[in-house]
Amino acid sequence: KYYYGDISCETSNFILITARIPYADIGANGFTKTLQPFEVEGPYDKCKDSLQLRSPPKEYYMLLVKTSAKIAGFDKAGKMLSPEMMKATMQAPPDGSDPAIFGCKDGNSGQFPPDVLKGHLQNCITFVAETARPLFPDFVTEESFQEKFINTMMTWSAYSAELQYYLHSDPAYVGLGHSNLNSDNAYFWRGDQGELDCGIIDWGGFASGSLGHKMWWCFNCSDFDQFRSFLDDYVDAFVATYVEYGGPQVDKETFKTHVLLTTLGNCMFMVLAVPDCFRMCSRKEWDSITSRQDPRVANNVNGKSTLRTTLHVLNNCIRVLEEMGSDEALKIWIKEVWVGRWGKTPKSQAAIFGAVPHAGNGH
């Protein structure tokens, strides 16, 4: 069936829509009816799990995790794409055997010089601890957290290329998958026996890469508390399903470390997005925003969820650091992998923090 078609006369890019997902709740505000078997829930939006999902989120995310693991397992079993087809049709992962490809070096491998990066981080602290204070946990105002945040993120940046190399260096932990399999990038229905099932949409960025990275990007838009409570269950499910569908056995704690280290990279992405928050919601508005349910930050802006997503993901990354120890995961990686396994000397204070070392960094 033809639904829509268009073509650009400038680029010849085109779109042709011949199928649609029959969402049962489309255009509705909340649940409108009890769904029958095989009726499709939703559609769902980003960062609104507590307002949208029809049953506890663990059921949905366990399904997403297992679906992601199935794809990766099938990839390893040679049931998805041949290496030749992968190379010809989509982005293949960098060569995990060559550190130079990732930009690894003994000095700071980050995107920004330390003085510039510290400015970005300080702007972020001002935003979460002052400008948007009611939207973030109380601990963001504490000097101890702010120091830990700056130290951790500057250290992560200095090792960022080496961390990317590490995440891709063992082929067992690299596979094909969706780039951000959040709940809004899937559609859900229940079978005759009430079992939840799903399909996947938004295949842009579907490629081979770090599986721990892909795992976190299933959860970065989820509600934090369920991620913290059930992360070990999700890791267990991913590893077991990955093996069941053809993947190699991987170490659960190593995989969990990959997830936690990925949260730091996502955090940096959100730090750099803070200035955009003021383009979507003017500075004068923030003084009167006291809740994430305020329509000025809860609703889409110009048809996009960017503002809500930035606030939500930044909050999740900050809480992973403070409440789940992503900073400690980084310290352990430096000690056990950078120094212990690779025989490197820890990067200097000057390399990480610039000419004047930052006090109390602990690395």
Side-chain angles (χ1 to χ4, degrees):
K1 181 177 178 179
Y2 171 83
Y3 285 96
Y4 178 80
D6 201 1
I7 187 169
S8 168
C9 295
E10 295 181 358
T11 66
S12 76
N13 289 339
F14 68 91
I15 181 171
L16 179 63
I17 300 176
T18 59
R20 65 176 291 269
I21 299 169
Y23 291 109
D25 299 319
I26 195 164
N29 183 16
F31 308 148
T32 59
K33 61 178 181 178
T34 300
L35 300 185
Q36 298 302 310
F38 304 106
E39 282 194 286
V40 179
E41 301 178 12
Y44 295 143
D45 208 345
K46 283 191 184 300
C47 307
K48 288 190 173 184
D49 287 352
S50 62
L51 303 175
Q52 298 179 139
L53 301 183
R54 286 174 170 262
S55 62
K58 184 180 181 181
E59 184 179 16
Y60 290 85
Y61 282 96
M62 190 63 77
L63 176 59
L64 293 175
V65 164
K66 290 180 178 180
T67 300
S68 182
K70 284 182 184 179
I71 293 171
F74 279 139
D75 174 39
K76 292 300 186 183
K79 297 178 180 179
M80 293 294 289
L81 295 174
S82 67
E84 295 76 22
M85 182 65 72
M86 175 85 74
K87 185 176 181 180
T89 61
M90 63 180 58
Q91 178 183 349
D95 182 358
S97 65
D98 186 357
I101 291 177
F102 293 82
C104 297
K105 53 187 173 182
D106 292 334
N108 191 314
S109 63
Q111 179 182 358
F112 300 102
D115 58 335
V116 175
L117 176 58
K118 187 174 180 182
H120 287 301
L121 294 170
Q122 191 59 59
N123 285 341
C124 180
I125 287 176
T126 300
F127 179 72
V128 301
E130 299 177 20
T131 308
R133 169 64 199 88
L135 309 186
F136 292 91
D138 291 343
F139 63 72
V140 297
T141 63
E142 298 172 5
E143 184 178 347
S144 58
F145 169 77
Q146 293 177 8
E147 182 175 305
K148 176 166 63 175
F149 178 76
I150 289 178
N151 289 339
T152 300
M153 296 310 299
M154 293 194 74
T155 302
W156 173 88
S157 179
Y159 288 92
S160 56
E162 294 74 31
L163 285 162
Q164 281 302 304
Y165 165 66
Y166 166 71
L167 292 175
H168 292 86
S169 60
D170 187 339
Y173 296 85
V174 177
L176 197 61
H178 197 283
S179 62
N180 59 326
L181 192 51
N182 308 133
S183 60
D184 68 303
N185 283 333
Y187 54 100
F188 302 91
W189 67 90
R190 292 187 182 275
D192 289 325
Q193 304 303 314
E195 69 281 9
L196 191 66
D197 206 343
C198 75
I200 300 175
I201 58 176
D202 193 4
W203 292 85
F206 183 74
S208 185
S210 163
L211 294 175
H213 175 100
K214 294 179 185 297
M215 173 84 151
W216 167 246
W217 280 76
C218 284
F219 288 98
N220 62 352
C221 290
S222 72
D223 291 336
F224 174 78
D225 289 340
Q226 68 89 21
F227 174 74
R228 178 187 57 195
S229 297
F230 302 123
L231 176 57
D232 287 341
D233 293 344
Y234 293 134
V235 169
D236 289 348
F238 185 97
V239 171
T241 306
Y242 183 46
V243 172
E244 179 184 355
Y245 284 87
Q249 184 66 52
V250 294
D251 179 72
K252 293 177 182 179
E253 286 304 312
T254 299
F255 186 75
K256 182 178 177 179
T257 295
H258 287 197
V259 175
L260 293 177
L261 291 174
T262 298
T263 69
L264 296 174
N266 197 184
C267 188
M268 184 63 74
F269 188 53
M270 294 299 102
V271 166
L272 299 177
V274 164
D276 289 333
C277 293
F278 297 109
R279 298 185 181 96
M280 293 175 282
C281 183
S282 65
R283 289 182 181 273
K284 65 180 181 180
E285 299 288 342
W286 290 96
D287 289 341
S288 57
I289 294 174
T290 60
S291 166
R292 288 181 179 272
Q293 283 66 53
D294 189 304
R296 290 170 289 181
V297 296
N299 293 345
N300 289 354
V301 178
N302 298 323
K304 296 183 178 181
S305 64
T306 307
L307 177 58
R308 182 175 69 252
T309 300
T310 300
L311 296 170
H312 192 99
V313 177
L314 179 59
N315 180 68
N316 280 352
C317 292
I318 284 173
R319 292 189 66 183
V320 172
L321 194 157
E322 179 67 11
E323 300 176 38
M324 299 181 70
S326 57
D327 60 320
E328 291 300 321
L330 178 59
K331 291 178 183 178
I332 292 170
W333 178 86
I334 293 171
K335 179 180 179 181
E336 295 186 356
V337 178
W338 178 257
V339 176
R341 189 185 308 172
W342 295 350
K344 298 285 190 177
T345 300
K347 298 194 179 190
S348 69
Q349 301 293 292
I352 297 172
F353 299 105
V356 180
H358 188 76
N361 60 79
H363 294 292

